[in-house]
């Protein structure tokens, strides 16, 4: 490649990282944690300590019997296996607390208030805003993504960046939009730093609120955007390319308590992925068309 082509490629990579949310530097220079540690420097000749240990003296007497090994000093620290054990009881307590708080919410406004007061997820302390949900409720279709990005964190509204604009365009082609018949939310209501992958503990802490969120919106069809949302809410292990384009049934304790039947659900590719891989838009288009056909089978769209 020519120098000009190299520069264009580097600028394109940088632009993609910024759009993906990798806009926060954590160090002045990158750190290669897989590199071998530098070798220890040896003293130069002539710089050895003046008082070097003397060589052992040969004794003509019979050797003394070996001393008894000293008993290990007792400390107050826990055994290694106990110190490294995960605090599952704490995680279970956070999940149970979240489920109890979510169950007491009778509408979306109460759920938003409860989620804003919830302290069981550390992402709340690093995010700028709570990103709750947006759209019509009750909705014909509800879209669930992974987590807010940079633009969403700034505005407190899900899917307002480049991926949100692409999602709105896709919905418009099948006469769906967030103002009249669609609702949009995420697995996590707070942005992970640097748009990193959510951890299992973060998802477990926020999942009861999302389950209640879905029950309150009561959509006729659910669409999971991306692999994290699909695997979490469908309790599956396959990747998104294997899960997408097929119909499943979603249920949860919140739906059962509310007396809501299992909801038809489909997984599709996340709009952020489509921006990086435009060739996959064809597959996502087929999924959105299938969603509209499923809605038409269930009857006309809800009137506003």
């Amino acid at each position: 490649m020519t120098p000009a082509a190299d520069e264009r490629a580097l600028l394109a990579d940088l632009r993609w990282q910024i759009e993906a949310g990798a806009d926060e530097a954590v160090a002045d220079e990158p750190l290669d944690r897989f590199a071998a540690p530098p070798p220890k420097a040896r003293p130069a000749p002539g710089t050895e300590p003046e008082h070097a240990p003397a060589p052992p003296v040969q004794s003509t007497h019979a050797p003394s019997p070996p001393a008894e090994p000293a008993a290990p000093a007792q400390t107050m620290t826990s055994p290694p296996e106990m110190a490294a054990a995960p605090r599952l009881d704490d995680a279970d307590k956070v999940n149970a607390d979240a489920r109890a708080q979510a169950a007491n919410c009778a509408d979306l406004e109460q759920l938003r208030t409860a989620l804003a007061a919830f302290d069981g997820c550390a992402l709340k302390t690093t995010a700028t805003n709570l990103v709750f949900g947006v759209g019509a409720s009750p909705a014909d279709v509800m879209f669930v993504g992974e987590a807010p990005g940079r633009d969403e964190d700034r505005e407190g509204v899900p899917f307002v960046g480049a991926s949100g604009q692409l999602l709105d365009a896709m919905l418009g082609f099948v006469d769906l939009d967030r103002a009249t018949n669609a609702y949009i939310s995420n697995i996590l209501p707070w942005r992970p730093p640097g748009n990193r992958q959510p951890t299992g503990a973060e998802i477990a802490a926020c999942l009861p609120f999302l389950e209640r969120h879905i029950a309150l919106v009561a959509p006729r069809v659910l669409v999971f955007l991306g692999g994290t949302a699909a695997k979490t809410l469908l309790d599956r292990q396959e990747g998104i390319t294997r899960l997408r384009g097929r119909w499943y049934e979603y249920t949860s304790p919140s739906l059962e308590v509310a007396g809501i039947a299992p909801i038809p659900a489909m997984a599709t590719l996340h709009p952020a992925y489509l921006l990086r891989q435009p060739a996959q838009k064809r597959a996502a288009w087929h999924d959105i068309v299938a969603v509209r056909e499923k809605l038409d089978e269930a009857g006309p769209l809800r009137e506003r």
Side-chain angles (χ1 to χ4, degrees):
M1 297 177 67
T2 64
D6 288 339
E7 182 178 359
R8 288 195 297 271
L10 290 173
L11 289 174
D13 290 342
L14 178 60
R15 189 178 303 109
W16 175 84
Q17 291 180 31
I18 293 174
E19 291 177 352
D23 58 343
E24 299 178 1
V26 296
D28 294 334
E29 295 181 358
L31 176 62
D32 186 358
R33 298 186 182 276
F34 296 95
K40 295 183 178 179
R42 294 185 176 181
T47 61
E48 291 84 355
E50 295 182 0
H51 302 287
V57 178
Q58 297 276 342
S59 175
T60 58
H61 300 284
S64 301
E68 292 291 333
Q74 295 188 3
T75 63
M76 298 302 292
T77 57
S78 302
E81 62 273 11
M82 294 182 61
R87 299 294 300 276
L88 295 180
D89 52 338
D90 289 349
D92 292 341
K93 182 179 179 181
V94 170
N95 183 271
D97 182 48
R99 193 165 299 280
Q101 293 187 41
N104 291 329
C105 298
D107 54 40
L108 292 178
E109 191 58 38
Q110 291 183 13
L111 186 67
R112 178 195 289 269
T113 301
L115 193 52
F118 180 63
D119 293 325
C121 182
L123 292 177
K124 177 182 178 180
T125 63
T126 59
T128 302
N129 283 305
L130 169 71
V131 183
F132 183 67
V134 65
S137 179
D140 289 296
V141 57
M142 181 174 180
F143 294 84
V144 180
E146 177 180 301
R150 179 189 57 183
D151 296 326
E152 290 75 14
D153 183 43
R154 289 175 176 172
E155 299 188 26
V157 180
F159 284 87
V160 294
S163 60
Q165 295 170 14
L166 176 58
L167 177 61
D168 287 340
M170 295 171 65
L171 298 183
F173 283 124
V174 291
D175 296 326
L176 297 173
D177 65 83
R178 62 179 81 191
T180 57
N181 45 37
Y183 193 92
I184 305 174
S185 187
N186 283 300
I187 293 281
L188 299 182
W190 295 288
R191 179 198 184 194
N195 285 13
R196 64 162 171 76
Q197 186 78 8
T199 67
E202 292 164 352
I203 292 175
C206 299
L207 186 58
F209 289 100
L210 177 64
E211 292 176 349
R212 184 60 178 157
H213 206 154
I214 294 173
L216 291 173
V217 174
R220 294 196 291 175
V221 171
L222 273 168
V223 180
F224 306 134
L225 301 172
T228 299
K231 290 189 285 187
T232 298
L233 294 174
L234 293 175
D235 194 20
R236 302 287 289 262
Q237 298 300 319
E238 301 95 318
I240 186 60
T241 55
R242 291 183 177 273
L243 292 173
R244 61 148 294 271
R246 299 160 56 189
W247 285 105
Y248 305 89
E249 284 194 340
Y250 167 80
T251 189
S252 71
S254 293
L255 289 186
E256 295 173 358
V257 170
I260 300 176
I263 302 173
M266 176 180 285
T268 190
L269 303 171
H270 196 285
Y273 174 78
L274 299 178
L275 291 174
R276 301 191 300 268
Q277 302 289 337
Q280 298 297 324
K281 290 182 179 180
R282 180 184 181 90
W285 167 252
H286 284 295
D287 296 340
I288 293 298
V289 170
V291 169
R292 179 55 202 256
E293 291 175 348
K294 175 69 74 171
L295 289 171
D296 290 339
E297 292 175 2
L301 299 181
R302 288 171 172 148
E303 297 182 358
R304 302 289 176 243

